[in-house]
Amino acid sequence: MNDPDPSRHAREIFQAGVEAVEPRSAVLRHVTLLGDELRVAGRAYDLAAIDRVYVVGMGKAAAVMALALEDLLWDRIRGGMVSVKHGHRVPLKRIQVREASHPIPDAAGVGAATEMASLLAATGPRDLVFCVISGGGSALLPAPAEGLTLEDKQETTRQLLACGATIQEINAIRKHLSRLKGGRLARLAEPSTLASLVLSDVVGDPLDAIASGPTVPDPTTFQDCLTILARYGLERGIPERVRRVLDRGIRGELSETPKPGDTAFERTQNLIVGSNALALDAARGKAQALGYNTLILSGVVEGETRDVARNHAAIARGILATGNPVPRPACVLSGGETTVTIRGPGRGGRNQEFALAAALEVDGVEGVLLFSGATDGTDGPTDAAGAWADGSTVTRGSKAGLDAAAMLRANDSHTFFRGVGDLLVTGPTRTNVMDLRIVLVP
């Protein structure tokens, strides 16, 4: 506890959380092979009765998850393809890797989706298909529904990301504008056996929301989509073709996404292999090893980023004043994923915005540090994973000619923290279980 740089402790605690959800280890904890018996958690598959094994997938961690299956099954794998974000490729021998854009989908993602759909359509009843799914999968495997273009989906995605909608709301709409999401991938894979391994990046780990639930029943409807658009005032702003598709769905002219009880799920297993809870538990262990009294506040934090920052700053001040909710030296952890309502033209992400909002709340308060980082290594459209702030951050920014309050109003947190030198830059971690926030009061 004599470390003069609490930010170093925060980075070590964060890194411990990220390492705990390394995708290869996460897969191999749940998938084992003994002779011809392949076990996926509690379910056994007799490979002697399987003609072909394929691996498909989507998301930032998909290539590393596929690598685990290659290591385990090797020449039993006939082929496959995964779509990952640019920069998240790893070398695979039996499975193709395609790189695409995130969070706004691109033509490369459409090509990957088309290729995957063709592969799945050719599978049969004696085939086993693994589908590896992680955060980012929605954007990385865009398959516009009939009557829509890639540009329609790009513009709709931009508006949804900018308005402050939750990932569950965004994905409800994505499912109804897609040929693969919302359980439709499972329908396409019929009559093969399908085993999906999921690394969760959504609060509460709802399978239907992670990467827009391509292999699980979808509880949302076309009507839900219009309700969400109305909630954020987007009914007239979205592309006209998108509105027409949703209207046709409400009238029953287009088929709904597969619901519980659909035959598409009779031979489908879905398993979560990693989550934010695992990362939080590992972060707590590291903090305790460093000598902190540690409390996990919550693993399901949502809401507007600035409000969450204000609450965490209040907790830090409370520890200083009263020793509650945990005595000094204190480490309070939280997980989940907040949202940012874009109000200005600046650059940043929810973790950097958290740190900037927190900096204003603890300005001049000595002995506290607030840290927030994205476990995938990417916070918004920047090269940073997050940032940290203490009681001197605003003053140091001012000396560098940076106005913290004005830059928060402009959503320009990246420029601010680049100027003061307190950005968290990890590069791609090739995992993704939402965010980790750390409050330290040494």
Side-chain angles (χ1 to χ4, degrees):
M1 297 312 303
N2 295 319
D3 191 334
D5 180 15
S7 70
R8 184 174 73 85
H9 277 177
R11 294 193 297 272
E12 290 177 5
I13 293 166
F14 174 80
Q15 185 62 29
V18 171
E19 290 174 358
V21 288
E22 190 277 319
R24 183 179 180 278
S25 299
V27 168
L28 296 179
R29 279 196 298 267
H30 294 86
V31 184
T32 58
L33 179 65
L34 182 60
D36 282 335
E37 184 181 87
L38 177 70
R39 297 195 70 87
V40 181
R43 185 175 299 186
Y45 297 89
D46 180 9
L47 293 183
I50 299 293
D51 287 343
R52 301 174 296 183
V53 177
Y54 293 98
V55 178
V56 299
M58 68 293 296
K60 299 172 187 176
V64 182
M65 297 172 78
L67 177 62
L69 293 173
E70 273 200 351
D71 291 344
L72 184 69
L73 297 171
W74 188 232
D75 59 359
R76 295 177 187 265
I77 297 176
R78 176 67 63 88
M81 189 272 292
V82 296
S83 180
V84 303
K85 182 178 178 178
H86 288 291
H88 288 64
R89 173 191 292 270
V90 299
L92 296 174
K93 300 294 186 182
R94 307 188 71 82
I95 303 163
Q96 300 297 313
V97 181
R98 303 288 182 258
E99 291 183 301
S101 176
H102 176 277
I104 304 299
D106 65 359
V110 174
T114 301
E115 185 178 348
M116 187 180 297
S118 296
L119 185 155
L120 292 172
T123 59
R126 287 176 57 87
D127 294 335
L128 171 62
V129 178
F130 276 100
C131 185
V132 292
I133 299 171
S134 68
S138 284
L140 294 167
L141 204 72
E146 184 178 352
L148 297 179
T149 67
L150 171 63
E151 291 73 23
D152 293 330
K153 296 199 72 172
Q154 289 173 327
E155 179 57 28
T156 302
T157 301
R158 288 190 189 97
Q159 293 191 34
L160 289 167
L161 290 172
C163 74
T166 67
I167 190 62
Q168 292 90 334
E169 292 170 329
I170 293 171
N171 284 355
I173 294 173
R174 281 168 160 168
K175 293 176 200 179
H176 289 83
L177 305 179
S178 172
R179 292 181 287 112
L180 291 179
K181 298 177 175 65
R184 289 191 169 108
L185 187 148
R187 180 175 283 172
L188 189 61
E190 285 187 284
S192 63
T193 298
L194 180 62
S196 292
L197 310 176
V198 183
L199 195 66
S200 173
D201 73 326
V202 179
V203 170
D205 305 331
L207 283 166
D208 67 280
I210 302 165
S212 296
T215 63
V216 298
D218 176 31
T220 68
T221 65
F222 282 106
Q223 182 59 60
D224 292 333
C225 295
L226 285 187
T227 300
I228 292 166
L229 293 174
R231 183 176 301 141
Y232 295 98
L234 300 179
E235 312 103 299
R236 299 185 183 279
I238 60 169
E240 179 60 29
R241 281 185 293 263
V242 170
R243 179 58 192 249
R244 284 203 299 265
V245 165
L246 297 180
D247 285 340
R248 289 183 63 202
I250 289 174
R251 293 195 300 267
E253 298 172 9
L254 299 176
S255 62
E256 259 291 356
T257 47
K259 306 304 179 192
D262 193 289
T263 58
F265 309 113
E266 290 179 354
R267 301 182 65 181
T268 299
Q269 177 185 8
N270 289 285
L271 176 69
I272 290 179
V273 298
S275 67
N276 189 263
L278 291 174
L280 278 173
D281 191 57
R284 173 172 57 186
K286 181 64 176 180
Q288 290 171 339
L290 289 171
Y292 289 93
N293 300 308
T294 305
L295 170 70
I296 294 180
L297 181 66
S298 173
V300 293
V301 174
E302 296 180 284
E304 184 68 31
T305 298
R306 299 180 192 187
D307 296 335
V308 174
R310 189 176 301 113
N311 292 337
H312 281 63
I315 290 170
R317 294 196 303 270
I319 293 170
L320 276 175
T322 67
N324 289 314
V326 61
R328 299 168 67 183
C331 173
V332 176
L333 300 163
S334 75
E337 189 166 293
T338 61
T339 54
V340 173
T341 301
I342 297 176
R343 303 173 174 88
R347 294 183 70 230
R350 59 184 179 270
N351 292 282
Q352 295 162 81
E353 179 138 329
F354 171 96
L356 185 53
L360 290 162
E361 295 293 327
V362 299
D363 184 26
V365 178
E366 294 185 6
V368 301
L369 181 135
L370 292 97
F371 174 108
S372 188
T375 57
D376 63 358
T378 304
D379 186 38
T382 75
D383 61 354
W388 62 87
D390 59 25
S392 70
T393 298
V394 173
T395 298
R396 288 186 288 118
S398 181
K399 290 179 179 178
L402 303 170
D403 184 331
M407 297 179 86
L408 180 62
R409 288 193 297 270
N411 300 112
D412 204 14
S413 54
H414 183 74
T415 302
F416 180 89
F417 283 108
R418 185 178 59 199
V420 298
D422 290 344
L423 284 173
L424 172 68
V425 180
T426 65
T429 64
R430 296 181 174 83
T431 190
N432 186 13
V433 293
M434 299 181 287
D435 305 329
L436 294 178
R437 287 170 293 275
I438 303 167
V439 177
L440 293 184
V441 188

